[in-house]
């Protein structure tokens, strides 16, 4: 009798309290509205740095016409798209997963794709990529593509992107610099200026990086954002005293100046968001300007960079919250992936690069979030952040780059999942990881990894271990690397 009573009590405790509870399955997943709100807040403060970082990464690039995107408009659009797609994830996916402009993908857009075409063309490719992912989800082909690339090679791609982000951060902060007369020396780069850390901006970067690392190690929630903000405050104080100025003055280099933004108090903190970048994309002109082969490779690289990160993030967050089924997949997987693909296209349509799921969502799950209600909270806070875009223009690269270095470390930790004793996968993984930062190209690293993997498997008589689809991918990358000679033959 006691057992029957206990079962009845347990069933009653899982009964939805109202329609809102039933729709989001709050009680059914063992959560409460209070936990969801706390989880949504934790996720936002853990990943809010992207509102600062994404504009600085995209704003640091120039397109083929020498044009750059305005920082303030980038900040507003970054917050808007993140807010809308995260709320969409909450309503459609009903999963505690937040989305925003993807790190790694934005670097690819800014430093590889945009220089080959206009910004509108580059963002058009992001839209195409998002549409393609949506088609893959709706047709079930996404699972096939996911299986084609070996798991450890996917891991290596993520690690390589992490190192690529780190080198971007170190170079943008001026901590690592190209040697002007590198042609006359065996060393192409150096530490600071002349091998020394002698400038005020570098001092700010070093202090900011140490601050961020200490906060992170001490498990302070929102450590990356706090690190950026704290370093920015220090930068404003230092600039007010030292007057380092910009890195270029009257067209002449000022090695001791700030890399991008000169930190100074803004005229206003809150302003109506500048949404002028919305809809500034073109899906047609890039094909004639950059060439069909180059465009196809860019789209493929965007897709593969965005594609696998989402699958891993979704499963990792679900595992953290105990939300996976017997096959290791979360509830409403198809809806989650579909929202993610819509987010990718929406990011391109708003000129802020592809939006994707964030592993930082795990911080909200750690606070008790189990449903889409947490995503509603996080998305609402991103929408509110739109009105604080003027603050972004205060942040110098020296402050924001601290986040790139730490994010690079976090992505690097996955390297332990690679079996370095198995040369058949270890060598392709090594090439993928190292060539991304050393050639300043994500696509070069992915291509080298896939081609070497296929060649090695063929050489050792294990051709059947390679998915047929991967042979086609490797062939496309071969054409990509040979595009110089091929273009000379055609032209």
């Amino acid at each position: 009798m006691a057992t029957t009573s206990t079962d009845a009590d347990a069933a009653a405790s899982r009964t939805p309290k109202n329609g809102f509870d039933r729709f989001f399955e709050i009680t059914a997943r063992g959560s409460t509205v209070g936990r969801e709100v706390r989880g949504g807040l934790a996720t936002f403060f853990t990943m809010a740095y992207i509102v600062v970082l994404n504009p600085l990464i995209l704003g640091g690039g120039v397109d083929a016409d020498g044009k750059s995107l305005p920082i303030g408009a980038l900040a507003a659009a970054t917050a808007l798209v993140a807010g809308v797609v995260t709320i969409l994830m909450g309503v459609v996916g009903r999963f505690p997963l937040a989305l925003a402009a993807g790190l790694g993908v934005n670097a690819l857009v800014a430093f590889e794709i945009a220089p080959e075409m206009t910004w509108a063309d580059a963002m058009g490719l992001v839209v195409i990529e998002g549409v393609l992912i949506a088609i893959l989800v709706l047709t079930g082909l996404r699972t096939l593509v996911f299986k084609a690339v070996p798991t450890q090679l996917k891991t290596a791609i993520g690690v390589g992107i992490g190192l690529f982000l780190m080198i971007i951060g170190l170079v943008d902060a001026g901590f690592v610099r190209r040697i002007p007369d590198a042609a006359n020396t065996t060393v192409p780069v150096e530490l600071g200026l002349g091998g020394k850390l002698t400038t005020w901006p570098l001092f700010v970067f070093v202090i900011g990086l140490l601050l961020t690392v200490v906060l992170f190690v001490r498990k302070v929630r929102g450590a990356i954002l706090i690190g950026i903000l704290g370093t920015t405050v220090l930068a404003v104080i230092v600039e007010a005293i030292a007057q380092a100025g910009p890195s270029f003055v009257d067209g002449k280099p000022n090695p001791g100046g700030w890399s991008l933004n000169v930190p100074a108090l803004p005229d206003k903190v809150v302003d109506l968001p500048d949404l002028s970048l919305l809809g500034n994309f073109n899906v047609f002109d890039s094909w004639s300007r950059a060439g069909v082969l180059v465009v196809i490779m860019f789209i493929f690289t965007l897709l593969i960079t965005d594609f696998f990160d989402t699958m891993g993030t979704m499963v990792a967050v679900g595992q953290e919250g105990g939300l996976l089924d017997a096959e290791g997949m979360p509830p409403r997987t198809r809806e989650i992936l579909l929202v993610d693909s819509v987010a990718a296209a929406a990011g391109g349509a708003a000129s802020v690069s592809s939006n994707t799921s964030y592993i930082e969502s795990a911080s909200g799950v750690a606070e008790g979030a189990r449903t889409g209600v947490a995503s509603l909270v996080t998305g609402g806070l991103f929408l509110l952040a739109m009105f604080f875009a003027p603050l972004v223009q205060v942040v110098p690269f020296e402050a924001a780059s601290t986040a790139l270095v730490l994010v690079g470390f976090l992505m690097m930790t996955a390297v332990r999942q690679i079996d370095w004793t198995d040369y058949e996968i270890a060598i392709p993984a090594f090439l993928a990881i190292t060539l991304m930062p050393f050639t300043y190209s994500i696509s070069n690293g992915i291509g080298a990894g896939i081609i070497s993997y296929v060649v090695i498997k063929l050489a050792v008589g294990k051709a059947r271990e390679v998915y047929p689809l991967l042979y086609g991918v490797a062939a496309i990358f071969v054409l990509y690397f040979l595009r110089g000679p091929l273009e000379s033959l055609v032209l």
Side-chain angles (χ1 to χ4, degrees):
M1 189 71 177
T3 302
T4 303
S5 176
T6 301
D7 291 343
D9 291 341
S13 67
R14 296 280 179 168
T15 302
K17 298 178 175 59
N18 49 50
F20 183 81
D21 187 348
R22 183 179 301 106
F23 181 82
F24 287 103
E25 301 179 333
I26 300 172
T27 301
R29 297 187 187 181
S31 186
T32 65
V33 173
R35 290 179 185 174
E36 297 301 312
V37 171
R38 289 198 304 273
L41 287 167
T43 296
F44 174 76
F45 285 112
T46 305
M47 60 182 286
Y49 65 86
I50 194 61
V51 179
V52 176
L53 200 53
N54 190 53
L56 293 183
I57 291 175
L58 290 176
V62 294
D63 65 10
D65 295 334
K67 295 181 180 179
S68 58
L69 298 175
I71 300 295
L74 281 170
T78 297
L80 173 63
V81 176
V84 171
V85 297
T86 299
I87 290 173
L88 189 64
M89 178 64 76
V91 175
V92 177
R94 304 177 201 172
F95 196 66
L97 197 62
L99 303 92
L103 289 171
V105 178
N106 56 6
L108 173 65
V109 172
F111 302 110
E112 293 188 50
I113 299 179
E116 298 289 334
M117 55 194 74
T118 67
W119 280 109
D121 295 338
M123 295 303 171
L125 298 189
V126 176
V127 173
I128 294 174
E129 174 244 343
V131 173
L132 289 176
I133 292 182
I135 293 172
L136 290 174
V137 172
L138 294 173
T139 59
L141 291 175
R142 186 165 192 177
T143 303
L144 294 178
V145 177
F146 184 71
K147 290 180 178 179
V149 178
T151 301
Q152 294 187 61
L153 192 53
K154 298 170 195 169
T155 300
I157 290 171
V159 173
I161 291 173
L163 290 179
F164 183 47
L165 289 174
M166 181 204 67
I167 193 66
I168 289 174
L170 294 177
V171 170
D172 286 344
F175 190 83
V176 172
R177 298 178 190 245
R178 301 175 183 85
I179 297 178
D181 60 344
N184 300 320
T185 178
T186 57
V187 182
V189 294
E190 65 182 4
L191 175 70
L193 285 173
K196 301 176 183 178
L197 304 177
T198 58
T199 69
W200 284 109
L202 282 178
F203 164 77
V204 169
F205 168 73
V206 172
I207 296 300
L209 180 59
L210 292 175
L211 169 65
T212 306
V213 168
V214 169
L215 290 172
F216 178 79
V217 171
R218 292 182 63 86
K219 301 184 185 325
V220 175
R221 195 162 285 115
I224 293 178
L225 179 62
I226 295 172
I228 292 175
L229 296 178
T231 308
T232 299
V233 171
L234 175 62
V236 170
I237 295 172
V238 167
E239 173 60 18
I241 297 173
Q243 298 290 312
S247 57
F248 281 87
V249 179
D250 296 328
K252 297 180 180 179
N254 174 27
W258 302 94
S259 296
L260 183 63
N261 295 331
V262 176
L265 293 176
D267 296 330
K268 48 188 173 182
V269 174
V270 180
D271 195 9
L272 291 175
D274 179 359
L275 302 179
S276 59
L277 291 177
L278 270 63
N280 185 28
F281 68 97
N282 189 325
V283 299
F284 300 110
D285 289 351
S286 57
W287 301 87
S288 58
R289 182 156 188 170
V292 174
L293 181 60
V294 172
V295 168
I296 289 175
M297 283 312 311
F298 278 146
I299 293 174
F300 176 76
T301 303
L302 281 169
L303 188 148
I304 207 165
T305 302
D306 204 12
F307 187 95
F308 298 112
D309 182 63
T310 298
M311 293 290 288
T313 299
M314 177 184 68
V315 173
V317 170
Q319 185 174 21
E320 175 75 17
L323 299 173
L324 302 183
D325 60 21
E327 296 181 349
M329 300 301 285
R332 301 179 68 82
T333 295
R334 189 183 187 194
E335 288 81 357
I336 293 171
L337 294 176
L338 186 58
V339 171
D340 187 85
S341 62
V342 170
S351 297
V352 294
S353 182
S354 175
N355 274 230
T356 189
S357 304
Y358 263 60
I359 192 61
E360 283 86 347
S361 303
S363 64
V365 173
E367 286 289 333
R370 296 292 183 272
T371 77
V373 176
S375 296
L376 299 183
V377 174
T378 303
L381 291 172
F382 268 120
L383 294 181
L384 184 63
M386 279 195 304
F387 298 91
F388 293 89
L391 288 176
V392 176
Q393 300 182 64
V394 179
V395 182
F397 257 142
E398 288 77 5
S401 292
T402 58
L404 287 178
V405 175
L406 186 55
V407 169
F409 159 74
L410 293 174
M411 298 178 75
M412 177 72 186
T413 58
V415 74
R416 64 183 181 275
Q417 299 174 20
I418 299 172
D419 183 3
W420 295 103
T421 63
D422 181 1
Y423 296 159
E424 293 174 20
I425 189 65
I427 292 175
F430 171 75
L431 292 174
I433 291 171
T434 55
L435 287 181
M436 285 188 199
F438 291 149
T439 66
Y440 230 64
S441 168
I442 293 172
S443 55
N444 287 350
I446 295 176
I450 289 177
I451 291 173
S452 60
Y453 175 78
V454 170
V455 170
I456 289 173
K457 287 297 184 182
L458 288 172
V460 298
K462 296 181 179 179
R464 292 186 177 181
E465 293 185 5
V466 180
Y467 275 82
L469 180 61
L470 204 59
Y471 285 110
V473 173
I476 292 175
F477 268 117
V478 169
L479 292 175
Y480 171 73
F481 285 118
L482 293 177
R483 67 189 186 277
L486 290 175
E487 288 174 358
S488 64
L489 289 174
V490 174
L491 300 177

